[in-house]
Amino acid sequence: MQFETWTKALAELPIDCVAVGVQDDGELSPEAKTLDLRCREKLSRLMKRGDFSGKPGESWLVTDLEGISAERVLLVGLGAKGEVTRKAWRRAVLTAISAATRTRVASLALALPRPATKALSDERFGRSVAELVGNTLYRVNDLKSAKKPRPHALNRVVVAAPAKAAPAVNTGFAQGAALTAGSALMRNLANLPGNVCTPTYLGKIAEDLAKTHKSLKVKVLGLPEIKREKMGCFLAVTQGSDEPPRFIVIEHRHPKAKNAPVVLVGKGITFDTGGISLKDPPTMDEMKFDMSGAACVIGTMNAVGELNLPLNVIGIVAACENMPSGRAIKPGDIVTSAQGLTVEILNTDAEGRLILCDALNYAKRFKPDVVIDMATLTGAIVVALGVHHTGVFSNNDALARELVNCGLTADDRAWHMPLTEEYGEQLKSNFADMANVAGRDGGSITAAAFLGKFTKDLVWAHLDIAGTAYQGGSGKGSTGRPSALLLEYLLRRAAAR
Ligand code: BES
Ligand code: MN
Ligand code: ZN
């Protein structure tokens, strides 16, 4: 996809289609008015006739207007008159793009009213356009044998920008394109079934990243190396499975980056049966998404490499299956983490925290500035926040606030959850340093508190994405979240450097 800015008069633009906004009272936006004057007011007459409602989410295609170079003009509903909010603008852009993909339009000009620069800077404007285009064009990577429908023709999107703003808008385009490529990679990986997307497969995909991005170095540890690292908790989870585990380290170093690295850690359970504490059958297939955190780390590292951000960023993925078998861990088993703390496994379905504690411990060798882990960790976070907000837990309030704020700007919302000492005390065990579960109440918080016992000397945040990383039901599939939040965080760090 090609993104460009233009400064020429709209009516003379050599393009397949121009998208302009109209209100639900029939009023044309300024851009639509300029076209209207050129085509002897055909557009305002059309609106007066009342055929098109101008409601948000709706569009109307007009063809072959005299006096306009574009063969098609797409009217996009803006709804009631008033200031253009970011949300309304996003909706309008989305509507225009999906309408264009239902035609043979190859090049599209977005001439929609834009929110004030205060609400949407030039750079963010470019980023949002590229992001909306990328997300709208994403097609799920199903394994259906039927012939795929004819692909859309859209390959060029242009927006109006004064010459002065063009460099910032173009920077934004590149950021948005890198973000959607990263989140598409995340979604494709997460959508793959557990028999295809194994730990070995994730390791191969990570190694491929190093081939395409010069700044990335990738190391993949297998069982012998994981044993050498004494990752007793990770080893405990993988021991019931016939699929070999992988521990993946992706390093991005930039010569101009002076700060200690940001380390991203992802939960990579390629299938979570629950183990001996077996899950109920109804939606167990969705546990193929239990590697969404890992997929997000891989996708984000792809974006970081693509943009060659002036930062040091390290992605860590612990990947294995959680299976019941004659070799599987049993409730009551006690294992020793790489850090040395012993853990009594009371529920084998609380496996995410077991692989993460060893991965978080591994992160310490990089002397990181910040560590952020991502995991579909608990059903309890879905009970607490539903599917709209990612849960943020942290031992550093400023970091938690920053992440919540990044979620707001990136339209990838998150909510700061409490993480006080009492929750950690609930993990007491009679036989080991701690248990891996603490009953039903506050389940997402006690899970975070478990991780907190391994991150005391780090500035650390944990994102519980069990509700946000994928959808169930008829739209079943990965959402790509929280890629946008994370990239926003990294871009801010790169800008503040
Ligand atoms: N992967 C699950 C969490 C999960 C549940 C993600 C539902 C998405 C949707 C995790 O490994 C798990 O099983 N957690 C248990 C913890 C419990 C045993 C303390 C849970 O949430 O039930
Ligand atoms: Mn589980
Ligand atoms: Zn799990």
Side-chain angles (χ1 to χ4, degrees):
M1 182 66 56
Q2 211 179 313
F3 295 101
E4 287 162 33
T5 57
W6 97 79
T7 46
K8 271 212 269 185
L10 203 51
E12 270 105 60
L13 209 61
I15 200 105
D16 291 351
C17 179
V18 179
V20 290
V22 294
Q23 294 169 11
D24 61 7
D25 60 3
E27 176 86 8
L28 303 177
S29 71
E31 297 83 0
K33 269 184 199 146
T34 40
L35 292 185
D36 198 37
L37 292 175
R38 294 291 295 265
C39 64
R40 286 184 279 140
E41 299 181 346
K42 272 205 167 154
L43 294 177
S44 40
R45 261 179 284 143
L46 186 149
M47 289 313 292
K48 259 188 216 115
R49 252 180 253 133
D51 289 343
F52 178 48
S53 70
K55 285 204 184 98
E58 293 184 9
S59 63
W60 188 273
L61 193 69
V62 197
T63 53
D64 304 309
L65 290 173
E66 258 170 63
I68 297 171
S69 342
E71 279 175 358
R72 307 173 186 81
V73 172
L74 184 72
L75 301 181
V76 179
L78 299 172
K81 68 158 168 283
E83 198 190 323
V84 190
T85 60
R86 252 187 13 184
K87 202 169 166 194
W89 174 78
R90 286 177 67 91
R91 180 94 191 264
V93 173
L94 224 135
T95 306
I97 299 158
S98 37
T101 58
R102 278 180 257 118
T103 67
R104 297 317 296 163
V105 164
S107 55
L108 171 70
L110 293 171
L112 298 160
R114 194 182 136 174
T117 315
K118 264 189 294 167
L120 193 74
S121 70
D122 290 323
E123 188 177 293
R124 172 152 289 292
F125 168 67
R127 193 192 307 172
S128 296
V129 168
E131 193 184 335
L132 287 164
V133 171
N135 287 344
T136 313
L137 299 188
Y138 177 80
R139 292 289 171 272
V140 73
N141 53 326
D142 63 46
L143 302 177
K144 294 181 184 180
S145 60
K147 211 170 142 238
K148 297 268 182 267
R150 189 177 181 194
H152 63 82
L154 192 65
N155 58 30
R156 204 168 133 240
V157 173
V158 305
V159 299
K164 202 166 70 198
V169 176
N170 283 321
T171 306
F173 283 155
Q175 294 167 344
L179 170 57
T180 43
S183 88
L185 174 57
M186 168 185 177
R187 293 168 82 173
N188 286 343
L189 289 172
N191 287 335
L192 286 174
N195 63 331
V196 175
C197 186
T198 59
T200 310
Y201 184 87
L202 284 178
K204 287 215 182 84
I205 294 291
E207 278 166 349
D208 286 347
L209 291 191
K211 287 180 205 145
T212 35
H213 302 289
K214 272 215 307 262
S215 70
L216 299 183
K217 278 208 193 71
V218 177
K219 192 162 80 176
V220 179
L221 311 189
L223 190 57
E225 292 97 348
I226 297 166
K227 282 186 176 154
R228 215 170 298 141
E229 292 288 340
K230 298 195 166 58
M231 299 190 193
C233 288
F234 181 29
L235 288 164
V237 177
T238 189
Q239 79 185 35
S241 165
D242 289 341
E243 281 294 337
R246 290 290 183 262
F247 191 88
I248 306 165
V249 185
I250 311 169
E251 278 194 59
H252 165 86
R253 300 277 181 186
H254 192 282
K256 289 210 185 104
K258 284 178 201 78
N259 286 347
V262 176
V263 179
L264 308 175
V265 178
K267 170 179 174 183
I269 296 291
T270 57
F271 198 83
D272 182 11
T273 64
I276 296 299
S277 316
L278 198 63
K279 286 184 181 294
D280 283 340
T283 55
M284 206 207 267
D285 68 292
E286 291 180 9
M287 284 302 118
K288 72 173 184 179
F289 295 117
D290 212 19
M291 35 59 78
S292 296
C296 187
V297 167
I298 294 173
T300 302
M301 292 312 292
N302 190 57
V304 167
E306 178 80 35
L307 294 168
N308 195 19
L309 291 185
L311 296 172
N312 295 316
V313 187
I314 295 165
I316 296 180
V317 163
C320 72
E321 283 183 339
N322 186 23
M323 298 290 280
S325 85
R327 280 179 292 123
I329 37 165
K330 304 169 289 296
D333 284 2
I334 296 177
V335 295
T336 307
S337 67
Q339 187 179 307
L341 291 170
T342 57
V343 179
E344 183 183 18
I345 300 171
L346 291 177
N347 189 324
T348 66
D349 198 10
E351 85 297 341
R353 60 199 80 182
L354 294 174
I355 69 170
L356 286 172
C357 72
D358 282 343
L360 287 165
N361 182 67
Y362 190 93
K364 289 176 190 162
R365 72 190 57 191
F366 298 107
K367 309 229 170 340
D369 209 27
V370 173
V371 177
I372 303 170
D373 78 69
M374 270 143 283
T376 45
L377 201 64
T378 65
I381 197 69
V382 195
V383 175
L385 298 179
V387 300
H388 306 295
H389 285 82
T390 290
V392 180
F393 303 82
S394 181
N395 57 10
N396 182 298
D397 280 348
L399 174 61
R401 273 196 299 271
E402 173 79 358
L403 290 169
V404 167
N405 200 281
C406 288
L408 274 174
T409 354
D411 289 301
D412 184 3
R413 284 171 300 167
W415 200 259
H416 188 182
M417 298 286 287
L419 185 56
T420 45
E421 281 149 33
E422 308 88 284
Y423 297 97
E425 287 158 16
Q426 285 177 238
L427 291 162
K428 279 216 172 77
S429 155
N430 283 354
F431 304 106
D433 294 335
M434 70 189 95
N436 75 329
V437 290
R440 214 173 114 256
D441 297 348
S444 69
I445 316 176
T446 51
F450 180 94
L451 300 178
K453 293 188 184 288
F454 297 85
T455 55
K456 288 204 170 111
D457 34 6
L458 297 171
V459 175
W460 156 80
H462 155 62
L463 305 178
D464 196 334
I465 56 173
T468 50
Y470 66 91
Q471 286 175 351
S474 63
K476 196 187 285 182
S478 174
T479 59
R481 296 178 67 182
S483 307
L485 183 160
L486 264 190
L487 193 68
E488 173 70 23
Y489 176 75
L490 295 171
L491 286 171
R492 282 189 192 187
R493 280 186 75 103
R497 187 178 48 101

